Short mmCIF file of all heavy atoms in Angstrom, two decimals:
data_model
loop_
_atom_site.label_atom_id
_atom_site.label_comp_id
_atom_site.label_asym_id
_atom_site.label_seq_id
_atom_site.Cartn_x
_atom_site.Cartn_y
_atom_site.Cartn_z
N MET A 44 14.82 -29.15 -57.61
CA MET A 44 14.16 -29.91 -56.54
C MET A 44 12.68 -29.75 -56.65
O MET A 44 12.17 -28.66 -56.89
CB MET A 44 14.68 -29.37 -55.16
CG MET A 44 14.15 -30.16 -54.01
SD MET A 44 14.71 -29.57 -52.41
CE MET A 44 16.45 -29.55 -52.62
N SER A 45 11.94 -30.82 -56.48
CA SER A 45 10.50 -30.78 -56.62
C SER A 45 9.79 -30.99 -55.29
O SER A 45 9.59 -32.12 -54.84
CB SER A 45 10.04 -31.85 -57.59
OG SER A 45 8.64 -31.92 -57.61
N VAL A 46 9.44 -29.89 -54.65
CA VAL A 46 8.67 -29.98 -53.44
C VAL A 46 7.36 -30.59 -53.70
O VAL A 46 6.77 -31.33 -52.89
CB VAL A 46 8.55 -28.57 -52.77
CG1 VAL A 46 7.62 -28.60 -51.59
CG2 VAL A 46 9.92 -28.03 -52.38
N ARG A 47 6.80 -30.34 -54.89
CA ARG A 47 5.52 -30.89 -55.27
C ARG A 47 5.56 -32.40 -55.28
O ARG A 47 4.65 -33.08 -54.81
CB ARG A 47 5.16 -30.34 -56.67
CG ARG A 47 3.85 -30.81 -57.23
CD ARG A 47 3.54 -30.12 -58.47
NE ARG A 47 4.16 -30.72 -59.64
CZ ARG A 47 3.59 -30.85 -60.81
NH1 ARG A 47 2.37 -30.42 -61.00
NH2 ARG A 47 4.24 -31.42 -61.79
N GLY A 48 6.65 -32.96 -55.75
CA GLY A 48 6.83 -34.43 -55.77
C GLY A 48 6.87 -35.00 -54.37
O GLY A 48 6.25 -36.02 -54.05
N PHE A 49 7.61 -34.33 -53.48
CA PHE A 49 7.68 -34.79 -52.11
C PHE A 49 6.32 -34.72 -51.43
O PHE A 49 5.88 -35.67 -50.73
CB PHE A 49 8.69 -33.96 -51.32
CG PHE A 49 8.71 -34.31 -49.85
CD1 PHE A 49 9.35 -35.46 -49.42
CD2 PHE A 49 8.07 -33.55 -48.92
CE1 PHE A 49 9.37 -35.79 -48.08
CE2 PHE A 49 8.06 -33.87 -47.57
CZ PHE A 49 8.72 -35.00 -47.16
N ARG A 50 5.63 -33.62 -51.62
CA ARG A 50 4.32 -33.47 -50.97
C ARG A 50 3.34 -34.52 -51.45
O ARG A 50 2.56 -35.07 -50.69
CB ARG A 50 3.77 -32.06 -51.24
CG ARG A 50 4.42 -31.01 -50.42
CD ARG A 50 3.80 -29.66 -50.66
NE ARG A 50 4.50 -28.64 -49.94
CZ ARG A 50 4.54 -27.38 -50.30
NH1 ARG A 50 3.91 -26.98 -51.37
NH2 ARG A 50 5.21 -26.51 -49.57
N PHE A 51 3.37 -34.80 -52.74
CA PHE A 51 2.46 -35.80 -53.31
C PHE A 51 2.73 -37.15 -52.68
O PHE A 51 1.78 -37.83 -52.23
CB PHE A 51 2.60 -35.88 -54.85
CG PHE A 51 1.66 -36.88 -55.41
CD1 PHE A 51 0.34 -36.54 -55.69
CD2 PHE A 51 2.04 -38.21 -55.62
CE1 PHE A 51 -0.56 -37.46 -56.19
CE2 PHE A 51 1.15 -39.16 -56.09
CZ PHE A 51 -0.14 -38.78 -56.38
N ILE A 52 3.97 -37.61 -52.72
CA ILE A 52 4.28 -38.95 -52.22
C ILE A 52 4.00 -39.07 -50.71
O ILE A 52 3.49 -40.02 -50.23
CB ILE A 52 5.69 -39.43 -52.57
CG1 ILE A 52 5.82 -40.96 -52.34
CG2 ILE A 52 6.74 -38.69 -51.80
CD1 ILE A 52 7.08 -41.56 -52.86
N ASP A 53 4.31 -37.99 -49.99
CA ASP A 53 4.08 -38.01 -48.55
C ASP A 53 2.58 -38.15 -48.26
O ASP A 53 2.18 -38.96 -47.43
CB ASP A 53 4.63 -36.71 -47.93
CG ASP A 53 4.56 -36.71 -46.43
OD1 ASP A 53 5.02 -37.72 -45.81
OD2 ASP A 53 4.02 -35.76 -45.85
N GLN A 54 1.75 -37.39 -48.94
CA GLN A 54 0.33 -37.43 -48.70
C GLN A 54 -0.23 -38.78 -49.18
O GLN A 54 -1.04 -39.39 -48.51
CB GLN A 54 -0.41 -36.31 -49.43
CG GLN A 54 -1.91 -36.33 -49.20
CD GLN A 54 -2.63 -35.16 -49.84
OE1 GLN A 54 -1.97 -34.22 -50.29
NE2 GLN A 54 -3.91 -35.23 -49.84
N TRP A 55 0.20 -39.23 -50.36
CA TRP A 55 -0.32 -40.48 -50.89
C TRP A 55 -0.03 -41.63 -49.97
O TRP A 55 -0.87 -42.46 -49.70
CB TRP A 55 0.28 -40.73 -52.27
CG TRP A 55 -0.42 -41.84 -53.01
CD1 TRP A 55 -1.45 -41.72 -53.88
CD2 TRP A 55 -0.13 -43.25 -52.91
NE1 TRP A 55 -1.81 -42.97 -54.34
CE2 TRP A 55 -1.00 -43.91 -53.77
CE3 TRP A 55 0.81 -43.97 -52.20
CZ2 TRP A 55 -1.01 -45.31 -53.92
CZ3 TRP A 55 0.80 -45.37 -52.35
CH2 TRP A 55 -0.08 -46.00 -53.20
N LEU A 56 1.19 -41.69 -49.44
CA LEU A 56 1.59 -42.77 -48.55
C LEU A 56 0.80 -42.74 -47.25
O LEU A 56 0.36 -43.76 -46.77
CB LEU A 56 3.11 -42.75 -48.28
CG LEU A 56 4.01 -43.08 -49.45
CD1 LEU A 56 5.47 -42.90 -49.10
CD2 LEU A 56 3.75 -44.52 -49.92
N SER A 57 0.62 -41.55 -46.70
CA SER A 57 -0.17 -41.45 -45.47
C SER A 57 -1.62 -41.91 -45.66
O SER A 57 -2.20 -42.41 -44.72
CB SER A 57 -0.11 -40.03 -44.93
OG SER A 57 -0.89 -39.16 -45.70
N GLU A 58 -2.12 -41.81 -46.84
CA GLU A 58 -3.49 -42.22 -47.12
C GLU A 58 -3.64 -43.64 -47.64
O GLU A 58 -4.71 -44.18 -47.58
CB GLU A 58 -4.12 -41.27 -48.18
CG GLU A 58 -4.29 -39.84 -47.71
CD GLU A 58 -4.72 -38.90 -48.81
OE1 GLU A 58 -4.84 -39.34 -49.99
OE2 GLU A 58 -4.92 -37.70 -48.50
N ASN A 59 -2.55 -44.24 -48.11
CA ASN A 59 -2.69 -45.53 -48.81
C ASN A 59 -1.93 -46.69 -48.18
O ASN A 59 -2.09 -47.82 -48.66
CB ASN A 59 -2.25 -45.35 -50.27
CG ASN A 59 -3.28 -44.58 -51.03
OD1 ASN A 59 -4.29 -45.12 -51.44
ND2 ASN A 59 -3.04 -43.28 -51.20
N ILE A 60 -1.11 -46.46 -47.18
CA ILE A 60 -0.47 -47.58 -46.52
C ILE A 60 -1.50 -48.14 -45.55
O ILE A 60 -2.00 -47.41 -44.68
CB ILE A 60 0.84 -47.15 -45.76
CG1 ILE A 60 1.90 -46.78 -46.78
CG2 ILE A 60 1.30 -48.31 -44.89
CD1 ILE A 60 3.20 -46.33 -46.15
N PRO A 61 -1.83 -49.43 -45.70
CA PRO A 61 -2.86 -50.01 -44.81
C PRO A 61 -2.39 -49.98 -43.35
O PRO A 61 -1.22 -50.17 -43.05
CB PRO A 61 -2.95 -51.46 -45.31
CG PRO A 61 -2.27 -51.48 -46.65
CD PRO A 61 -1.32 -50.35 -46.68
N ASP A 62 -3.34 -49.70 -42.48
CA ASP A 62 -3.03 -49.74 -41.06
C ASP A 62 -2.54 -51.13 -40.66
O ASP A 62 -3.10 -52.12 -41.07
CB ASP A 62 -4.29 -49.40 -40.22
CG ASP A 62 -4.72 -47.97 -40.35
OD1 ASP A 62 -3.82 -47.13 -40.64
OD2 ASP A 62 -5.90 -47.64 -40.23
N GLY A 63 -1.48 -51.15 -39.87
CA GLY A 63 -0.93 -52.39 -39.39
C GLY A 63 -0.14 -53.18 -40.45
O GLY A 63 0.19 -54.35 -40.21
N ALA A 64 0.11 -52.56 -41.57
CA ALA A 64 0.86 -53.28 -42.65
C ALA A 64 2.25 -53.54 -42.19
O ALA A 64 2.95 -52.67 -41.65
CB ALA A 64 0.87 -52.44 -43.92
N TRP A 65 2.68 -54.77 -42.33
CA TRP A 65 4.07 -55.15 -42.05
C TRP A 65 4.96 -54.63 -43.18
O TRP A 65 4.58 -54.73 -44.35
CB TRP A 65 4.15 -56.68 -41.93
CG TRP A 65 5.49 -57.13 -41.46
CD1 TRP A 65 6.49 -57.65 -42.19
CD2 TRP A 65 6.00 -57.05 -40.12
NE1 TRP A 65 7.58 -57.95 -41.43
CE2 TRP A 65 7.31 -57.57 -40.13
CE3 TRP A 65 5.45 -56.60 -38.91
CZ2 TRP A 65 8.09 -57.68 -39.02
CZ3 TRP A 65 6.24 -56.69 -37.78
CH2 TRP A 65 7.52 -57.21 -37.83
N PRO A 66 6.07 -54.04 -42.85
CA PRO A 66 6.95 -53.51 -43.87
C PRO A 66 7.69 -54.55 -44.70
O PRO A 66 8.85 -54.80 -44.51
CB PRO A 66 7.92 -52.61 -43.11
CG PRO A 66 7.94 -53.19 -41.74
CD PRO A 66 6.61 -53.79 -41.50
N ASP A 67 6.96 -55.24 -45.59
CA ASP A 67 7.59 -56.24 -46.39
C ASP A 67 7.87 -55.73 -47.80
O ASP A 67 7.24 -54.75 -48.25
CB ASP A 67 6.75 -57.55 -46.44
CG ASP A 67 5.50 -57.38 -47.27
OD1 ASP A 67 5.57 -57.49 -48.50
OD2 ASP A 67 4.43 -57.20 -46.66
N ARG A 68 8.80 -56.35 -48.45
CA ARG A 68 9.29 -55.90 -49.76
C ARG A 68 8.26 -56.04 -50.89
O ARG A 68 8.21 -55.20 -51.78
CB ARG A 68 10.57 -56.60 -50.12
CG ARG A 68 11.66 -56.34 -49.08
CD ARG A 68 12.93 -57.13 -49.36
NE ARG A 68 13.76 -56.55 -50.38
CZ ARG A 68 14.53 -55.47 -50.31
NH1 ARG A 68 14.49 -54.78 -49.21
NH2 ARG A 68 15.25 -55.08 -51.31
N VAL A 69 7.41 -57.04 -50.81
CA VAL A 69 6.38 -57.24 -51.87
C VAL A 69 5.37 -56.12 -51.82
O VAL A 69 5.05 -55.53 -52.84
CB VAL A 69 5.76 -58.63 -51.74
CG1 VAL A 69 4.59 -58.77 -52.70
CG2 VAL A 69 6.76 -59.73 -51.92
N LEU A 70 4.84 -55.85 -50.62
CA LEU A 70 3.86 -54.76 -50.47
C LEU A 70 4.50 -53.43 -50.84
O LEU A 70 3.87 -52.59 -51.49
CB LEU A 70 3.29 -54.74 -49.06
CG LEU A 70 2.26 -53.66 -48.81
CD1 LEU A 70 1.09 -53.72 -49.77
CD2 LEU A 70 1.78 -53.76 -47.35
N ALA A 71 5.73 -53.21 -50.37
CA ALA A 71 6.41 -51.94 -50.67
C ALA A 71 6.59 -51.76 -52.15
O ALA A 71 6.39 -50.65 -52.72
CB ALA A 71 7.76 -51.92 -49.97
N SER A 72 6.93 -52.83 -52.87
CA SER A 72 7.11 -52.71 -54.31
C SER A 72 5.77 -52.40 -55.00
O SER A 72 5.69 -51.55 -55.91
CB SER A 72 7.63 -54.08 -54.85
OG SER A 72 7.76 -54.04 -56.25
N ASP A 73 4.67 -53.04 -54.56
CA ASP A 73 3.34 -52.77 -55.10
C ASP A 73 2.95 -51.33 -54.87
O ASP A 73 2.49 -50.63 -55.76
CB ASP A 73 2.33 -53.72 -54.48
CG ASP A 73 0.97 -53.50 -55.01
OD1 ASP A 73 0.77 -53.51 -56.25
OD2 ASP A 73 0.02 -53.24 -54.20
N LEU A 74 3.14 -50.87 -53.65
CA LEU A 74 2.80 -49.49 -53.31
C LEU A 74 3.64 -48.46 -54.09
O LEU A 74 3.15 -47.40 -54.48
CB LEU A 74 2.93 -49.24 -51.80
CG LEU A 74 1.89 -49.94 -50.92
CD1 LEU A 74 2.23 -49.82 -49.45
CD2 LEU A 74 0.48 -49.40 -51.21
N ALA A 75 4.92 -48.78 -54.30
CA ALA A 75 5.78 -47.92 -55.06
C ALA A 75 5.26 -47.78 -56.49
O ALA A 75 5.23 -46.65 -57.07
CB ALA A 75 7.23 -48.43 -55.07
N ASP A 76 4.87 -48.90 -57.09
CA ASP A 76 4.29 -48.82 -58.43
C ASP A 76 3.00 -47.99 -58.45
O ASP A 76 2.78 -47.17 -59.33
CB ASP A 76 3.95 -50.25 -58.95
CG ASP A 76 5.18 -51.07 -59.24
OD1 ASP A 76 6.30 -50.49 -59.37
OD2 ASP A 76 5.09 -52.30 -59.33
N ARG A 77 2.16 -48.24 -57.46
CA ARG A 77 0.87 -47.54 -57.40
C ARG A 77 1.06 -46.05 -57.17
O ARG A 77 0.32 -45.20 -57.79
CB ARG A 77 0.02 -48.14 -56.29
CG ARG A 77 -0.49 -49.52 -56.67
CD ARG A 77 -1.25 -50.24 -55.57
NE ARG A 77 -2.21 -49.38 -54.90
CZ ARG A 77 -2.72 -49.62 -53.70
NH1 ARG A 77 -2.32 -50.70 -53.01
NH2 ARG A 77 -3.58 -48.84 -53.16
N VAL A 78 2.02 -45.64 -56.37
CA VAL A 78 2.18 -44.19 -56.12
C VAL A 78 2.72 -43.50 -57.38
O VAL A 78 2.32 -42.39 -57.67
CB VAL A 78 3.11 -43.90 -54.91
CG1 VAL A 78 4.55 -44.20 -55.16
CG2 VAL A 78 2.96 -42.45 -54.45
N LEU A 79 3.56 -44.17 -58.13
CA LEU A 79 4.04 -43.57 -59.39
C LEU A 79 2.95 -43.43 -60.41
O LEU A 79 2.89 -42.43 -61.13
CB LEU A 79 5.23 -44.37 -59.93
CG LEU A 79 6.51 -44.28 -59.12
CD1 LEU A 79 7.56 -45.22 -59.63
CD2 LEU A 79 7.00 -42.84 -59.05
N ILE A 80 2.07 -44.43 -60.48
CA ILE A 80 0.93 -44.35 -61.40
C ILE A 80 0.01 -43.20 -60.99
O ILE A 80 -0.43 -42.39 -61.84
CB ILE A 80 0.14 -45.69 -61.44
CG1 ILE A 80 1.02 -46.76 -62.12
CG2 ILE A 80 -1.20 -45.52 -62.11
CD1 ILE A 80 0.49 -48.15 -61.94
N ALA A 81 -0.26 -43.07 -59.68
CA ALA A 81 -1.14 -42.00 -59.19
C ALA A 81 -0.51 -40.63 -59.44
O ALA A 81 -1.18 -39.66 -59.82
CB ALA A 81 -1.39 -42.19 -57.73
N ALA A 82 0.81 -40.57 -59.30
CA ALA A 82 1.49 -39.28 -59.55
C ALA A 82 1.39 -38.89 -61.04
O ALA A 82 1.08 -37.75 -61.34
CB ALA A 82 2.98 -39.41 -59.14
N GLU A 83 1.63 -39.85 -61.89
CA GLU A 83 1.52 -39.55 -63.35
C GLU A 83 0.11 -39.07 -63.68
O GLU A 83 -0.02 -38.14 -64.46
CB GLU A 83 1.88 -40.80 -64.16
CG GLU A 83 3.36 -41.15 -64.13
CD GLU A 83 4.23 -40.24 -64.98
OE1 GLU A 83 3.74 -39.58 -65.89
OE2 GLU A 83 5.44 -40.21 -64.67
N ARG A 84 -0.90 -39.69 -63.11
CA ARG A 84 -2.25 -39.28 -63.38
C ARG A 84 -2.57 -37.87 -62.84
O ARG A 84 -3.45 -37.19 -63.34
CB ARG A 84 -3.24 -40.28 -62.71
CG ARG A 84 -3.30 -41.58 -63.41
CD ARG A 84 -4.29 -42.52 -62.78
NE ARG A 84 -4.31 -43.78 -63.50
CZ ARG A 84 -4.66 -44.94 -62.94
NH1 ARG A 84 -5.03 -44.97 -61.69
NH2 ARG A 84 -4.65 -46.00 -63.67
N SER A 85 -1.78 -37.47 -61.83
CA SER A 85 -1.96 -36.11 -61.27
C SER A 85 -1.04 -35.10 -61.95
O SER A 85 -0.98 -33.95 -61.53
CB SER A 85 -1.65 -36.16 -59.76
OG SER A 85 -2.60 -36.95 -59.11
N GLY A 86 -0.32 -35.53 -62.94
CA GLY A 86 0.54 -34.63 -63.69
C GLY A 86 1.93 -34.44 -63.08
O GLY A 86 2.62 -33.49 -63.41
N ILE A 87 2.30 -35.35 -62.20
CA ILE A 87 3.66 -35.29 -61.58
C ILE A 87 4.48 -36.42 -62.14
O ILE A 87 4.08 -37.59 -62.00
CB ILE A 87 3.53 -35.37 -60.05
CG1 ILE A 87 2.70 -34.22 -59.52
CG2 ILE A 87 4.91 -35.38 -59.41
CD1 ILE A 87 2.34 -34.33 -58.04
N SER A 88 5.58 -36.13 -62.73
CA SER A 88 6.41 -37.17 -63.36
C SER A 88 7.15 -37.98 -62.28
O SER A 88 7.42 -37.50 -61.19
CB SER A 88 7.41 -36.56 -64.34
OG SER A 88 8.38 -35.84 -63.65
N ALA A 89 7.52 -39.20 -62.64
CA ALA A 89 8.32 -40.03 -61.77
C ALA A 89 9.65 -39.32 -61.50
O ALA A 89 10.21 -39.46 -60.40
CB ALA A 89 8.55 -41.40 -62.42
N TYR A 90 10.13 -38.60 -62.48
CA TYR A 90 11.40 -37.84 -62.29
C TYR A 90 11.30 -36.85 -61.15
O TYR A 90 12.22 -36.75 -60.33
CB TYR A 90 11.79 -37.10 -63.59
CG TYR A 90 12.97 -36.24 -63.44
CD1 TYR A 90 14.26 -36.81 -63.44
CD2 TYR A 90 12.86 -34.86 -63.26
CE1 TYR A 90 15.37 -35.98 -63.25
CE2 TYR A 90 13.97 -34.08 -63.09
CZ TYR A 90 15.24 -34.64 -63.09
OH TYR A 90 16.34 -33.82 -62.92
N GLU A 91 10.17 -36.13 -61.06
CA GLU A 91 9.98 -35.16 -59.97
C GLU A 91 10.04 -35.87 -58.61
O GLU A 91 10.64 -35.34 -57.66
CB GLU A 91 8.65 -34.45 -60.09
CG GLU A 91 8.60 -33.37 -61.12
CD GLU A 91 7.30 -32.64 -61.11
OE1 GLU A 91 7.10 -31.78 -60.22
OE2 GLU A 91 6.47 -32.96 -61.99
N ILE A 92 9.42 -37.02 -58.51
CA ILE A 92 9.42 -37.74 -57.26
C ILE A 92 10.79 -38.30 -56.96
O ILE A 92 11.33 -38.15 -55.88
CB ILE A 92 8.33 -38.82 -57.27
CG1 ILE A 92 6.97 -38.15 -57.24
CG2 ILE A 92 8.49 -39.76 -56.06
CD1 ILE A 92 5.80 -39.12 -57.35
N ASP A 93 11.43 -38.90 -57.97
CA ASP A 93 12.77 -39.48 -57.76
C ASP A 93 13.77 -38.40 -57.36
O ASP A 93 14.65 -38.59 -56.56
CB ASP A 93 13.26 -40.13 -59.05
CG ASP A 93 12.57 -41.47 -59.34
OD1 ASP A 93 11.94 -42.01 -58.44
OD2 ASP A 93 12.66 -41.93 -60.50
N GLU A 94 13.62 -37.22 -57.96
CA GLU A 94 14.51 -36.10 -57.67
C GLU A 94 14.44 -35.73 -56.20
O GLU A 94 15.45 -35.37 -55.59
CB GLU A 94 14.13 -34.91 -58.53
CG GLU A 94 15.01 -33.71 -58.41
CD GLU A 94 14.53 -32.57 -59.28
OE1 GLU A 94 13.35 -32.23 -59.19
OE2 GLU A 94 15.38 -32.07 -60.06
N GLU A 95 13.26 -35.80 -55.61
CA GLU A 95 13.06 -35.41 -54.25
C GLU A 95 13.33 -36.49 -53.22
O GLU A 95 13.93 -36.25 -52.20
CB GLU A 95 11.63 -34.84 -54.08
CG GLU A 95 11.38 -34.25 -52.71
CD GLU A 95 12.20 -33.00 -52.43
OE1 GLU A 95 12.61 -32.30 -53.38
OE2 GLU A 95 12.48 -32.76 -51.27
N VAL A 96 12.86 -37.71 -53.49
CA VAL A 96 12.94 -38.76 -52.49
C VAL A 96 14.00 -39.85 -52.81
O VAL A 96 14.21 -40.70 -51.99
CB VAL A 96 11.57 -39.42 -52.23
CG1 VAL A 96 10.56 -38.43 -51.74
CG2 VAL A 96 11.11 -40.20 -53.42
N GLY A 97 14.57 -39.79 -53.96
CA GLY A 97 15.51 -40.84 -54.35
C GLY A 97 14.70 -42.09 -54.75
O GLY A 97 13.78 -42.00 -55.55
N SER A 98 15.00 -43.20 -54.15
CA SER A 98 14.31 -44.46 -54.41
C SER A 98 12.92 -44.43 -53.85
O SER A 98 12.70 -44.34 -52.66
CB SER A 98 15.11 -45.62 -53.84
OG SER A 98 14.31 -46.78 -53.83
N VAL A 99 11.93 -44.53 -54.74
CA VAL A 99 10.52 -44.58 -54.31
C VAL A 99 10.30 -45.82 -53.45
O VAL A 99 9.62 -45.76 -52.41
CB VAL A 99 9.57 -44.53 -55.51
CG1 VAL A 99 8.11 -44.71 -55.06
CG2 VAL A 99 9.71 -43.22 -56.26
N PHE A 100 10.85 -46.93 -53.87
CA PHE A 100 10.70 -48.17 -53.09
C PHE A 100 11.22 -47.97 -51.65
O PHE A 100 10.56 -48.34 -50.71
CB PHE A 100 11.46 -49.31 -53.78
CG PHE A 100 11.55 -50.58 -52.98
CD1 PHE A 100 10.41 -51.42 -52.95
CD2 PHE A 100 12.67 -50.89 -52.27
CE1 PHE A 100 10.49 -52.56 -52.17
CE2 PHE A 100 12.73 -52.04 -51.53
CZ PHE A 100 11.63 -52.89 -51.47
N SER A 101 12.41 -47.39 -51.51
CA SER A 101 12.96 -47.14 -50.17
C SER A 101 12.13 -46.17 -49.37
O SER A 101 11.95 -46.38 -48.17
CB SER A 101 14.40 -46.57 -50.31
OG SER A 101 15.26 -47.53 -50.86
N ALA A 102 11.55 -45.19 -50.03
CA ALA A 102 10.72 -44.22 -49.33
C ALA A 102 9.44 -44.93 -48.82
O ALA A 102 9.00 -44.62 -47.72
CB ALA A 102 10.32 -43.07 -50.26
N VAL A 103 8.86 -45.78 -49.61
CA VAL A 103 7.66 -46.53 -49.21
C VAL A 103 8.01 -47.46 -48.04
O VAL A 103 7.30 -47.47 -47.00
CB VAL A 103 7.08 -47.34 -50.39
CG1 VAL A 103 5.98 -48.27 -49.90
CG2 VAL A 103 6.57 -46.43 -51.48
N LEU A 104 9.09 -48.19 -48.15
CA LEU A 104 9.50 -49.14 -47.07
C LEU A 104 9.79 -48.35 -45.79
O LEU A 104 9.34 -48.77 -44.70
CB LEU A 104 10.72 -49.91 -47.53
CG LEU A 104 11.04 -51.18 -46.78
CD1 LEU A 104 9.86 -52.17 -46.82
CD2 LEU A 104 12.26 -51.85 -47.41
N ARG A 105 10.44 -47.21 -45.91
CA ARG A 105 10.75 -46.40 -44.72
C ARG A 105 9.42 -45.91 -44.08
O ARG A 105 9.28 -45.92 -42.87
CB ARG A 105 11.63 -45.25 -45.15
CG ARG A 105 12.20 -44.43 -44.03
CD ARG A 105 13.24 -43.41 -44.51
NE ARG A 105 12.92 -42.70 -45.74
CZ ARG A 105 13.49 -42.94 -46.91
NH1 ARG A 105 14.44 -43.84 -47.06
NH2 ARG A 105 13.14 -42.24 -47.98
N SER A 106 8.50 -45.47 -44.90
CA SER A 106 7.22 -45.00 -44.37
C SER A 106 6.44 -46.14 -43.72
O SER A 106 5.81 -45.91 -42.68
CB SER A 106 6.42 -44.41 -45.56
OG SER A 106 5.22 -43.85 -45.06
N MET A 107 6.53 -47.33 -44.26
CA MET A 107 5.88 -48.45 -43.64
C MET A 107 6.46 -48.76 -42.28
O MET A 107 5.74 -49.06 -41.32
CB MET A 107 5.96 -49.68 -44.55
CG MET A 107 5.15 -49.58 -45.84
SD MET A 107 5.46 -50.91 -46.97
CE MET A 107 4.52 -52.23 -46.15
N LYS A 108 7.77 -48.68 -42.16
CA LYS A 108 8.45 -48.94 -40.90
C LYS A 108 8.09 -47.92 -39.83
O LYS A 108 7.89 -48.22 -38.67
CB LYS A 108 9.96 -48.99 -41.10
CG LYS A 108 10.42 -50.21 -41.80
CD LYS A 108 11.94 -50.17 -42.03
CE LYS A 108 12.34 -51.39 -42.84
NZ LYS A 108 13.80 -51.35 -43.10
N GLU A 109 7.95 -46.68 -40.27
CA GLU A 109 7.57 -45.58 -39.35
C GLU A 109 6.17 -45.71 -38.84
O GLU A 109 5.90 -45.33 -37.71
CB GLU A 109 7.78 -44.22 -40.03
CG GLU A 109 9.21 -43.85 -40.28
CD GLU A 109 9.38 -42.64 -41.14
OE1 GLU A 109 8.38 -42.03 -41.55
OE2 GLU A 109 10.54 -42.27 -41.39
N ARG A 110 5.28 -46.28 -39.63
CA ARG A 110 3.85 -46.40 -39.26
C ARG A 110 3.61 -47.63 -38.37
O ARG A 110 2.59 -47.71 -37.72
CB ARG A 110 2.99 -46.49 -40.50
CG ARG A 110 2.95 -45.18 -41.20
CD ARG A 110 1.88 -45.08 -42.20
NE ARG A 110 0.58 -45.27 -41.53
CZ ARG A 110 -0.56 -45.33 -42.18
NH1 ARG A 110 -0.58 -45.24 -43.47
NH2 ARG A 110 -1.68 -45.50 -41.54
N LYS A 111 4.51 -48.57 -38.38
CA LYS A 111 4.34 -49.81 -37.63
C LYS A 111 4.28 -49.57 -36.15
O LYS A 111 4.78 -48.76 -35.54
CB LYS A 111 5.46 -50.79 -37.99
CG LYS A 111 5.25 -52.14 -37.35
CD LYS A 111 6.34 -53.05 -37.83
CE LYS A 111 6.20 -54.34 -37.16
NZ LYS A 111 6.70 -54.52 -35.86
#
């Protein structure tokens, strides 16, 4: 289990989901791609994130719904 992966995605989403963003699938897909790129640049593999949160797309969409 990668707590590091969970912490990274949690922090990244809190900083990068636009305020008032509607939880749509296109934006969620874009953000999912961007968070994985940012994680790789930080030395965290997509595997570490997937291991912790499952579907990155679903995690992004869920986070968007919670912020609405």
Side-chain angles (χ1 to χ4, degrees):
M44 185 180 305
S45 172
V46 173
R47 181 173 83 140
F49 175 78
R50 286 183 183 154
F51 181 86
I52 194 171
D53 186 52
Q54 181 176 351
W55 192 94
L56 291 174
S57 70
E58 295 172 356
N59 289 279
I60 291 178
D62 290 333
W65 187 257
D67 71 81
R68 299 177 78 73
V69 174
L70 180 57
S72 178
D73 179 55
L74 290 171
D76 290 342
R77 288 174 46 200
V78 73
L79 290 174
I80 291 167
E83 289 286 337
R84 288 182 180 153
S85 295
I87 301 171
S88 70
Y90 174 78
E91 283 183 79
I92 291 176
D93 288 344
E94 183 180 53
E95 187 63 28
V96 300
S98 167
V99 174
F100 173 79
S101 294
V103 171
L104 199 56
R105 189 170 44 252
S106 184
M107 292 172 75
K108 288 177 182 178
E109 291 171 0
R110 291 194 60 183
K111 184 176 178 278

